[in-house]
Amino acid sequence: MGRGRVELKRIENKINRQVTFSKRRNGLLKKAYELSVLCDAEVGLIIFSSRGKLYEFASAGMSRTLERYQRSSYNSQDNSLVVADRETQSWYQEVSKLKAKYESLQRSQRHLLGEDLGPLSVKELQNLEKQLEGALSQARQRKTQIMVEQMEELRRKERQLGDMNKQLKNKLEADTQGSYRVIQGSWESTALVGNNNFSGHPSQSSSMDCEPTLQIGYHQYVSAEGASIPRSTAGENNFIQGWVL
């Protein structure tokens, strides 16, 4: 039955810690020796105990192994420095290229704006003129295209407004015809009611259609006191009163 997995932590018991150190130290030294013999490797092992005691193993001598280790470490440092220098030089070259390109673009921009034209030769000026003509032609084409697109948009809006105007006109005509029909119906109903009222009062119509009549004899005369007397008597009385006066 195999042992369980040992947890890697400091052994608190001093005696057990010392026993474990002795066993594992001997095993580690044995493994280093076997590795150097089996694989023909130069192995150097240095162990210091908790009390400061030194234990070592070197297959080719400790001083020789340490010297070789120092040379290897220095070479690795030198190699890292060389790699860093190369990276620095590459970045410096890249920055120099970008800086030169930036300055060239600035000069081209100044030339396109009509500045610093003195150092340019005739050929360079001709090339600059061609560039300006090409840029001007492209700008005009783009302007024409934008104007055409704007005109098309305005025409489309005009058609939409025309359709809306027609719809509103048709709606207005329909509303006008409906209101005219309502007014005409109200007029007809009013005329019908007036005819019915006129035909329902025969006394009024008969009073309007008067016929001429003839009355024979004296008309009654109403005095101021309210008594009725014949017309002839009233005339005689008036004549007598006037003669007496």
Side-chain angles (χ1 to χ4, degrees), residues 79-97:
N79 291 331
S80 62
L81 291 175
V82 170
V83 171
D85 291 339
R86 289 179 181 175
E87 290 181 355
T88 303
Q89 290 178 359
S90 64
W91 283 111
Y92 180 76
Q93 291 177 358
E94 188 70 20
V95 170
S96 299
K97 290 180 181 179

Side-chain angles (χ1 to χ4, degrees), residues 76-145:
S76 62
Q77 291 179 0
D78 293 338
N79 291 331
S80 62
L81 291 175
V82 170
V83 171
D85 291 339
R86 289 179 181 175
E87 290 181 355
T88 303
Q89 290 178 359
S90 64
W91 283 111
Y92 180 76
Q93 291 177 358
E94 188 70 20
V95 170
S96 299
K97 290 180 181 179
L98 293 175
K99 186 177 180 180
K101 188 175 181 180
Y102 174 72
E103 291 177 354
S104 176
L105 291 174
Q106 281 188 336
R107 285 195 301 270
S108 299
Q109 184 179 6
R110 288 195 298 270
H111 293 163
L112 292 173
L113 294 175
E115 300 176 358
D116 299 337
L117 299 179
L120 298 179
S121 62
V122 177
K123 187 175 182 180
E124 291 176 347
L125 290 173
Q126 289 177 355
N127 294 331
L128 180 61
E129 185 178 3
K130 290 180 180 179
Q131 291 179 1
L132 291 174
E133 289 178 353
L136 182 60
S137 177
Q138 293 179 1
R140 288 175 177 174
Q141 291 178 1
R142 180 57 182 168
K143 183 183 72 174
T144 304
Q145 182 181 0

Side-chain angles (χ1 to χ4, degrees), residues 9-227:
K9 67 177 183 177
R10 185 176 181 273
I11 300 173
E12 299 297 335
N13 192 344
K14 186 176 180 180
I15 297 174
N16 294 336
R17 185 169 65 245
Q18 186 64 32
V19 173
T20 303
F21 174 75
S22 298
K23 290 181 179 180
R24 300 224 173 185
R25 178 199 64 198
N26 295 332
L28 184 59
L29 292 172
K30 183 179 178 180
K31 292 292 183 183
Y33 172 73
E34 291 176 354
L35 180 64
S36 63
V37 174
L38 295 174
C39 300
D40 194 16
E42 185 176 353
V43 179
L45 176 63
I46 299 173
I47 302 173
F48 287 97
S49 66
S50 59
R51 296 178 179 180
K53 191 175 181 178
L54 174 63
Y55 301 91
E56 63 180 11
F57 169 78
S59 60
M62 185 59 68
S63 59
R64 179 182 174 181
T65 303
L66 291 175
E67 289 177 359
R68 187 175 179 181
Y69 170 75
Q70 290 177 356
R71 287 196 301 269
S72 299
S73 62
Y74 289 155
N75 290 331
S76 62
Q77 291 179 0
D78 293 338
N79 291 331
S80 62
L81 291 175
V82 170
V83 171
D85 291 339
R86 289 179 181 175
E87 290 181 355
T88 303
Q89 290 178 359
S90 64
W91 283 111
Y92 180 76
Q93 291 177 358
E94 188 70 20
V95 170
S96 299
K97 290 180 181 179
L98 293 175
K99 186 177 180 180
K101 188 175 181 180
Y102 174 72
E103 291 177 354
S104 176
L105 291 174
Q106 281 188 336
R107 285 195 301 270
S108 299
Q109 184 179 6
R110 288 195 298 270
H111 293 163
L112 292 173
L113 294 175
E115 300 176 358
D116 299 337
L117 299 179
L120 298 179
S121 62
V122 177
K123 187 175 182 180
E124 291 176 347
L125 290 173
Q126 289 177 355
N127 294 331
L128 180 61
E129 185 178 3
K130 290 180 180 179
Q131 291 179 1
L132 291 174
E133 289 178 353
L136 182 60
S137 177
Q138 293 179 1
R140 288 175 177 174
Q141 291 178 1
R142 180 57 182 168
K143 183 183 72 174
T144 304
Q145 182 181 0
I146 292 174
M147 292 177 67
V148 170
E149 291 176 356
Q150 290 179 353
M151 290 176 65
E152 292 294 334
E153 184 67 19
L154 291 174
R155 289 174 181 174
R156 185 179 63 81
K157 290 182 179 179
E158 183 180 3
R159 289 193 295 269
Q160 290 180 356
L161 292 174
D163 295 338
M164 293 175 63
N165 190 13
K166 290 180 181 178
Q167 293 177 1
L168 292 174
K169 185 178 180 180
N170 295 332
K171 186 177 180 181
L172 181 61
E173 290 178 354
D175 294 340
T176 304
Q177 291 178 0
S179 60
Y180 176 75
R181 290 174 182 175
V182 171
I183 294 172
Q184 186 176 6
S186 62
W187 284 354
E188 291 177 356
S189 61
T190 304
L192 181 61
V193 171
N195 292 330
N196 293 332
N197 292 332
F198 182 76
S199 61
H201 297 81
S203 60
Q204 294 180 0
S205 61
S206 61
S207 63
M208 293 177 63
D209 298 334
C210 298
E211 295 181 358
T213 57
L214 177 62
Q215 184 177 358
I216 301 173
Y218 297 102
H219 294 282
Q220 297 292 327
Y221 175 77
V222 181
S223 63
E225 286 80 2

